Structure formats: structure tokens, C-alpha cells
Amino acid sequence: MNIRKKFDTPDGAETTRRNYGDDARSEVLLDGANNILVASCTQSSDFPVAGSAIQNTFGGGKQDGVILKFSSDLSSRIFSSFFGGSGTDACFVLSINPTTSNVFVAGGTSSTDLPGNKTGSIYAGFQGGDVDGFVTQVSPDGSGIIKTTYMGTIGNDLVYGIQFDKFGFPYVTGTTTGSWPVINATFSNQGGKQYISKLQPDLSKFVYSTVFGTNSIIPNISITAFLVDRCQNVYVSGWGGKFNDDRGYPNAGTNGLPITGDAIQSTTDGNDFYFFVLEKNAASQLFGSFYGQRGGFDDHVDGGTSRFDANGIIYEAICANCGGRSNPSVIFPTTPGVWAPRNGSNNCNEAAVKIEMNFGGVGASIKATINGVLDTIGCVPLTVTLTDTLAKGKKYIWNFGDGSPEVSQTTNTINHTFNLVGTYRVRLVSIDSATCNIADTAYTQIRVGNNIVTPNFIASKIGGCQSLTFEFQNTTTAVIPSYSPTAFLWDYGDNTTPQRTGFGPTSHTYAAPGTYVVKLVVDDSAFCNAPDSVKKTVRLAVNVQARFETPDKGCVPYTAVFNNTSLGGLEFLWNFGDGTTSTEVNPSHVYANTGTYTVRLTAIDTTTCNRTDTYNFSITVFSIPTAGFSFSPNPAEENRPTNFANFSSGAITYEWDFGDGSSSTEVNPRYQYNATGTYNACLVAINVAGCRDTFCLEVQALVIPLLDVPNAFTPGKFGVNSVVKVVGFGIGKMDWKIYNRWGQRVFWSTSQASGWDGSFKGSIQPIDVYTYSLDVEFTDGKKIRKTGDISLLR
């Protein structure tokens, strides 16, 4: 049986919300040991079960739910199991009880015989309709079902979210087409088809239950994310509208959903996202807001992932602004300074929304850094920078666990020095008495040692001049030099797999001559500064070849930087051509005078067959160019262009900045300013070496606004009359439209530089009289509208 048209308001391409069938929703989370739990479903009766499975065989119907647990590195499957009865079943979501570590799995079913003990549960039997929701409680190792309950009405019901508060009470959210019970709840929307329920941990009854939404016969939204925060407030996000309805999945949309006065977006076109926050114990609605564009193709989800974090911040992935570039009047709302404020595609674009709703109360979280690097292990005396990364408190109380006095402060970062060897549990209490939970506590562990290790090694070529083998002598030292057989990790710099060894020499044969950076890592927690490392460069060759790289020109005083690319080489002798030398591997040298210098590098390597090699290279040092210009007329004359006379010396190219945003690379440009004013005009003169000199002058311009449009032109001919343009002075903005005798617009321009060549959509237009309208705003602020005729002649 295909249930998808019988329940929920599905979300377009995210078929997990509409169909148990081919592509049902899955959820993944980590337990306290970073093992990976998965809730999903399968249509395969031969799905591989493993470990202490609670159900070894396929239950029946179109598909079963499945529950899986993997090791943290996915190297092994701890258990995998079917979950389902004789009907069609799907496991959508799961969560872990923080007080018992039991796994709670929820989803939807058409089975009247779900597995598990249902005695004393909220609903021991199937409640009606085509589909019910369910919640089942499973032991952490998957060995048994502790309790199962149906969650339903006589309509169609599904559970789309399950979360816990810090006291171990489960909360569920989902959609219904029936009358979901409202119990112990001050807040509810009569007839709402989205529900939130708090359950007893043993699934025996509701603590409270309520609904929100419009009084419709079908749900308003498809739910995408769910959270219970530190203060037991409940968060739901979702979306709905025409996108689903058009695809045959009934959906009431977002019109009429309850909002609050602080809504980010208080109106909707019915096809938006919706965010909702319910106060602890269903006392009131804390927040309600729409989010999305007005008009255009509906905001929706195409398989995107959405989550709340523990602080009540939503991270929502949205398929947004479809056709946005082709319909610029429909804009998806973004905030200033974001990476991509507009859709650059003619199709849909991914929008990422992050919204903090500020109801989660104060929270605490500690980050420890040592010398600017995230770390919790170091050597005595150890100074650690501790930061509350949430920074939500008004006051912070630090206890360092080393017997030193507690520190109370109003800033969220503190430095502390541990002066004795030991392991210390650092405690942070973040306090804000104005929030619902007043304070929150976080811990981290700092380990301080005194066994400092200093990695080092000596590299030497072995095996004769034609050999490609290096031996590496480990010369690492430590306060307590006790090394495990796996304490050292050698990376030979040639993309081969690093080698893990104990203390002692090692060798490595390279596939080809070259220059390799070898890294030795001490990777042993016995040392307080581990992992620490040292890098050294080895040069390997059969015949040494001297080579280096550096630019062949510069300007005085020129600092030449030399990159030694020699093949092989144990020693290097540099002669810079000006009477100075160096024995560095990669030296730099300052040339104080102009001229051409021959640099010679001699590479010496007694392990190679030829032992020495030389390489020569010429560097030319030039004088810095001198920039200079004058201009005319000076003083400025009305509507006269400015002529710039370039008298720079020693340059071959030029960059002009006229001071109004315009530029030129001509030698002696002629430029018409567009507004009266004084402009800082600058010339950059550039010589053959790329060296630059800049010269600037204050240039006056006098511009009187004038405007004209020629009344005839001859397209296809050469000369100024081949294109018709707006002419004038001081034109700041313009909107120029030309129409044919049938009122069809054949040309449109907002730039004085752009003119009409007598064509429309690539076709030459006939000889005729064309009308135009021209709206101009001059640079002095005055506006004018001009209309008239233009004759197209041949």
C-alpha cells in the first residue's frame, strides 16, 4: 500500500516526508562513545541483520523500518535490525535519553501489530486512519525493545521529531489529520494539525500535549527540524504551500499560522518557511515567524538538511529564488554582508538561513588553547587560554582544579598558568539571572606534564653516488627518554605512506631524484608536548645540478630573493656579481646600484657522481621611474575636456586615475568630467621592471548641464552619424527609450556611451520616423524629461 497521499504535507523532492516507499527519511546521530546510530527503512527482506537484533526478519507490507549502530570509525556494525509489523513501517527519527542511554525511535506505521511491549503505554493499539505515528524505546545495545506506543488519532498521523530535555523526558512533534489531544496545555490553536507532546519517559502517558496551526483539515507545514532547549522550550521549523499541493500532496500552506510581535517576517504568500517556539509546559507561544520571498516560485526543500543546535539556533537549507535572475523583482531575503546576497543562477539556488531565537537560556562551553592552538595537553609551567565559546553569561566563575582561588569576572576569556604536573578538571559556571535557567556549567580537562621531547634527526645518503637511498638517524631527546615501539612517525615527503617506528635509525629509497621535505613526528602521549615534529629538506641526485629561481629585473634598491631549486647539494656557494658572497641555501641580497649583475651558484655534493656543478643567471637593476604631468585648460573652462600632458621619465606604461572613478592607460589622455568640482587626478608611471611611481594634481572642472538628441542618423554608414546617442554635459542618470510607429520599444539605454545602431533583435529596422522618451538627472540634481522624433535614413 502506498501511504504517501494519505498523510502529512510532503515536501516536494524530500520524499522522506511523504512516502515510506522508495526514498524514506533517515536520521543519524552519535551516542556518548561517538558510535553512529541510524534510523531508516528498507523494502528488502534480506536486509542484513547483525549483533543482538531486536527483530531478525522482515515484518511485512511494503517496507520495514530499520535501526542500525556502527562503531565510530564505521569499521564494524554493532547491531542492525528490522522494526515493523505486518503493514508498512518507517523509522524517521531517533534520540538518546540522556539519563538512561536508551534509544528512542519514532516514525510512522500502518501495522496493527508493531513489535514491543505496549501494555500501559499511551496507545496500546492502532488508532485508525491509514497511518499512525509510533515511538519505541530500545536498549543501547539493540538487544531488546523496552516499550512501544502508538501515537495517533482516527486520522492520519506521523512523528517527525523526537527530542529529550535534560531530565530525560521525551518530546515528539508531527502532523495529523485528526483531532490530536490537547492535555495540560495553556497554549493551543484550535484545530491545529501540527502537534507537540511531552511524554513520560516510560511512554505511559502525556505530560502535556498541544497543537498549533490553522483550523484546517490537513497540516499546514512539513516539519524539518525539532529541539527542546535547556529551559524546556520547544522549537519547530517547517515549510508548506502550493509546491506540495500541485504535486497531489494536500497542504494548507503557511497562510494564517500564528506569529509573534518580534517576527522576522510577519507576512506570507502562503508558500514560506515557518519557525515556532513553544514555552516550557506549553504555557504560551514564545515566537512565530515566516521566512521566504514574496511571489515567484515557492520556497521549498529539495532534500536539504535542517537542524537546531542546543542554543535554539536554526540552520535551515532552502531551495530558494527559483528563476531569480530572470525575475529580479522577486528577491529572497538575505542580510547585509553575506557571501552571496543574490541568486546568480537562472534556476533555483541554495539558501542557508541561520536564526537565533534567544530563548535557550544561558549556556556554557569551554575552549582551551595553548600558544594559539586548540589543545588541552602541555608542559609545566603551562599557560592555557580558556574561553566560553557561547559568551551568553553576564558573569563567569572559573575553577581551575589546581587549588588556586576561583575567579569571577564579566568577560568570557581568561588565561591561567598551571605550575605543577597533574591532570586538572576545569569548571566554568556561566551566569545570567535574567534567563530561564539562570546558570549553566561546563567542564574540560587539562593535562600538565614535564616530560618534554625534542624531535631531531640526521639525514645522510647511503649506497654510493648512484643510490637513491637515505638513512635517517633519530637523534630525538627527552627528559625521560622512554619511547614506545610506535612513538615516531616518519613522513618522507614523497607521498608514500608514513612509516611508524620506535626509536632508532630508518632508511628510505626514493623513486626518483628530487628535493624532499622529511618530517619526523613524536606521536606519544607520554610526552607533554606531543605531538611535536621537526622538518628537514633532503636533496637527492645521482649528479648534482645547480639551479635557482629569481626575477631577472628589479628597481634600485633591489632585494633579490633566491629560491634554490638545485638537484642534490650539501653545500652552496653564491657569488652575487657585485663582490659579495653567501653560503645560505636560499639567500636574499640587496643591490644598491643600477646595473646588470651575473649571479653564480656553485652546488657541492660529495655523495653524487660529479660532486660539483655551477649555474649563472643575470639580473638587471633599473632606476625607479619618475611620474609627472600637467593639464589644460587651467583654470577650467565651461564644458571643455581636460588635456593631460605626460612628462614622466623612465616609464613604458601608464595608469591614469581621473579622481571620479574613471581611468585610462593612454600616454596623453583627453578627458571630459561630468560634474563641476575639484578632482585629485593621479598618474602612475611604470617601467620595464614593473616599478611604479605616482604623481597627483588637483584638477578643476567646470560643467554646465546641457542635453540634446540628434533628430536623424544613417546606420550602416561610417562616422558619427552611424549611431544615434544622447549628447550633453553633466548627465548623471538617464533612461532613454526609442519606439517604432507601433509603440514597440526597439532600444533602451541608461548610459550616455550607449547608442542605437538602427537594429532590433539583430534585424535592421526600416527607414522611418521613431519616437523617444528621455529622462535625465543631471549631476547638479536637476531633472528633465525630453521627448521627440528620430529619423532613420539610409
Side-chain angles (χ1 to χ4, degrees), residues 294-310:
R294 296 300 304 270
F297 195 85
D298 312 333
D299 305 302
H300 61 283
V301 167
D302 277 356
T305 297
S306 303
R307 289 289 186 273
F308 287 98
D309 69 17

Side-chain angles (χ1 to χ4, degrees), residues 401-444:
D402 60 354
S404 61
E406 286 188 343
V407 176
S408 177
Q409 61 183 41
T410 57
T411 55
N412 68 315
T413 296
I414 193 169
N415 293 322
H416 183 73
T417 300
F418 296 88
N419 292 302
L420 297 173
V421 172
T423 299
Y424 304 99
R425 191 183 194 213
V426 176
R427 184 189 70 204
L428 164 66
V429 181
S430 180
I431 301 172
D432 184 353
S433 58
T435 61
C436 57
N437 60 334
I438 300 178
D440 192 44
T441 304
Y443 297 90
T444 193

